[in-house]
Amino acid sequence: MRWYPWLRPAFEQLISQYQSGRAHHALLVHALPGMGDDALIYAICRWLMCEHPDGHKSCGHCRGCQLMQAGTHPDYHLVVPEKGKSAIGIDPVRQVTEKLYSRSGRGGARIVWIPDAEKLTEPAANALLKTLEEPPENCWFFLGCREPARLLITLRSRCLSWHLAPPDEPYALAWLGRETHLEPWPLQTALRLSMGAPGAALALLQPENWKRRSAVCARLEEALQHRDLLLLTSVLNDEHVVESLHWISTLLLDALKVQRGAASWLANADARGLVEQLCSMMSAAVLQAVLHHLFQCREQLRDVPGLNRELMLTELLLRWEQWMRPGAMLPADYL
């Protein structure tokens, strides 16, 4: 689990709350993928489990630290979906709750860490809610979430929300430059495509991932030249479809930015030619209509299992192609 330098201020601020006795028993951490929230929470858990902490640091030598390093601490509970399941059901929550109300294995703090709290089913969330309302003594709960709005509002209300914001772009670019030694344009593009999360940008810049993104851009350019958007199917119809649709949506949004005089805010700084091509072929109304339908398609493919991916992509691309024709009637539901 990698530690990132931009985590230090949040870590020190949170640890200070535990040291002063002002910490909330349930911390909901909202962060983008690639921000290192798992490393932040693990570092806090290490400190809480340490029997001889040195200021903001865990000692690394006591029995508590050794058990945490080995992943066998009896009072550290990780709640994730059961094998073969995508959601966290009520059984794992009940099992952890029973352990919390029994005697502590080491006589110290007890911790529950739920990295993907949005995967809690409603019964599981309600079961957890009862424990959060009246937590056992010296129990600490940590919930990670990409989209807090997907959680029950009653569950959110029992937690202290902490937004782990991305660092400033110059700082993040400097860090990426040290990690990759690439030119500025791909660094800025990867960072903006990752919504400012440097860890996610670094992952995107890995050769295999960057090659996929380049292939999507090249195929989109080819499809526009031939006015045959179904050519995109070959680079979209795979397990990376959600990410590929995100890349295409950023190109469409960049085209809108250019049309409205905000070219300096492009996400795809290395694909200005493709962005300008989209501008010349699509009006703002067409761009907005395509984006609206693309977002719907992406969300369904991400959240609804068992959908016919190829059929949904074909419908999306045919509508896009139709709306690009002169005089085409656009839907009004995106307004």
Side-chain angles (χ1 to χ4, degrees):
M1 191 176 299
R2 183 171 183 179
W3 179 262
Y4 298 108
W6 56 84
L7 299 176
R8 177 59 56 181
F11 174 75
E12 292 182 349
Q13 188 173 349
L14 288 168
I15 290 297
S16 296
Q17 293 181 9
Y18 290 99
Q19 288 177 319
S20 63
R22 296 181 292 106
H24 198 281
H25 69 277
L27 184 67
L28 173 62
V29 180
H30 171 210
L32 293 167
M35 278 298 299
D37 51 316
D38 53 345
L40 173 65
I41 297 303
Y42 179 72
I44 296 173
C45 293
R46 283 282 303 272
W47 187 88
L48 288 170
M49 291 302 195
C50 180
E51 297 169 8
H52 307 290
D54 179 15
H56 288 177
K57 298 180 180 178
S58 53
C59 71
H61 305 294
C62 68
R63 185 60 177 162
C65 286
Q66 292 174 353
L67 289 170
M68 285 296 291
Q69 290 171 353
T72 57
H73 201 296
D75 296 321
Y76 175 76
H77 308 289
L78 180 66
V79 181
V80 295
E82 295 176 289
K83 187 176 180 180
K85 296 183 179 180
S86 58
I88 302 174
I90 193 171
D91 289 339
V93 174
R94 283 177 172 170
Q95 291 169 8
V96 167
T97 301
E98 291 174 3
K99 293 177 182 178
L100 294 179
Y101 284 100
S102 62
R103 185 176 179 179
S104 169
R106 294 287 302 168
R110 284 164 289 179
I111 291 174
V112 176
W113 168 222
I114 309 176
D116 300 301
E118 63 266 34
K119 293 184 179 180
L120 289 164
T121 62
E122 187 171 346
N126 285 325
L128 179 63
L129 178 62
K130 295 178 182 178
T131 307
L132 292 180
E133 289 174 341
E134 298 181 7
E137 186 179 358
N138 205 16
C139 284
W140 306 98
F141 298 84
F142 298 94
L143 288 74
C145 192
R146 306 300 179 208
E147 300 178 59
R150 297 167 70 91
L151 296 178
L152 290 179
I153 189 170
T154 49
L155 188 62
R156 299 201 310 269
S157 68
R158 300 301 188 276
C159 301
L160 172 66
S161 294
W162 186 279
H163 179 221
L164 186 60
D168 293 338
E169 186 171 272
Y171 179 97
L173 289 174
W175 180 82
L176 284 171
R178 292 192 298 271
E179 293 290 323
T180 64
H181 307 290
L182 296 174
E183 296 297 320
W185 287 124
L187 297 183
Q188 187 182 65
T189 297
L191 186 63
R192 292 184 176 182
L193 290 177
S194 304
M195 294 176 284
L202 182 61
L204 175 56
L205 287 167
Q206 298 308 303
E208 181 180 352
N209 296 329
W210 198 247
K211 184 178 179 181
R212 284 195 296 106
R213 185 252 173 184
S214 299
V216 170
C217 292
R219 187 52 58 90
L220 175 57
E221 186 172 8
E222 180 185 358
L224 291 173
Q225 289 174 351
H226 290 85
R227 294 186 176 273
D228 182 5
L229 290 171
L230 288 178
L231 292 174
L232 280 167
T233 307
S234 61
V235 293
L236 294 180
N237 191 22
D238 57 27
E239 66 274 15
H240 304 291
V241 61
V242 173
E243 186 176 30
S244 297
L245 288 176
H246 167 66
W247 293 334
I248 291 178
S249 71
T250 62
L251 289 162
L252 296 171
L253 286 168
D254 279 348
L256 277 173
K257 293 173 189 176
V258 171
Q259 290 180 351
R260 297 181 179 181
S264 59
W265 297 96
L266 296 187
N268 298 273
D270 63 341
R272 288 177 177 266
L274 178 54
V275 171
E276 291 174 0
Q277 186 178 5
L278 287 166
C279 284
S280 65
M281 299 181 68
M282 304 170 67
S283 66
V286 173
L287 286 168
Q288 290 172 353
V290 174
L291 276 167
H292 178 75
H293 192 52
L294 188 151
F295 289 149
Q296 287 184 327
C297 179
R298 186 185 62 180
E299 184 176 355
Q300 290 172 345
L301 289 171
R302 183 192 64 187
D303 298 335
V304 183
L307 293 178
N308 188 321
R309 183 174 61 207
E310 184 174 6
L311 182 62
M312 293 193 66
L313 289 172
T314 300
E315 181 189 9
L316 168 66
L317 297 174
L318 286 176
R319 285 193 182 188
W320 184 350
E321 195 172 292
Q322 176 187 352
W323 292 335
M324 286 179 61
R325 295 170 185 165
M329 183 173 294
L330 300 177
D333 56 355
Y334 68 88
L335 296 176

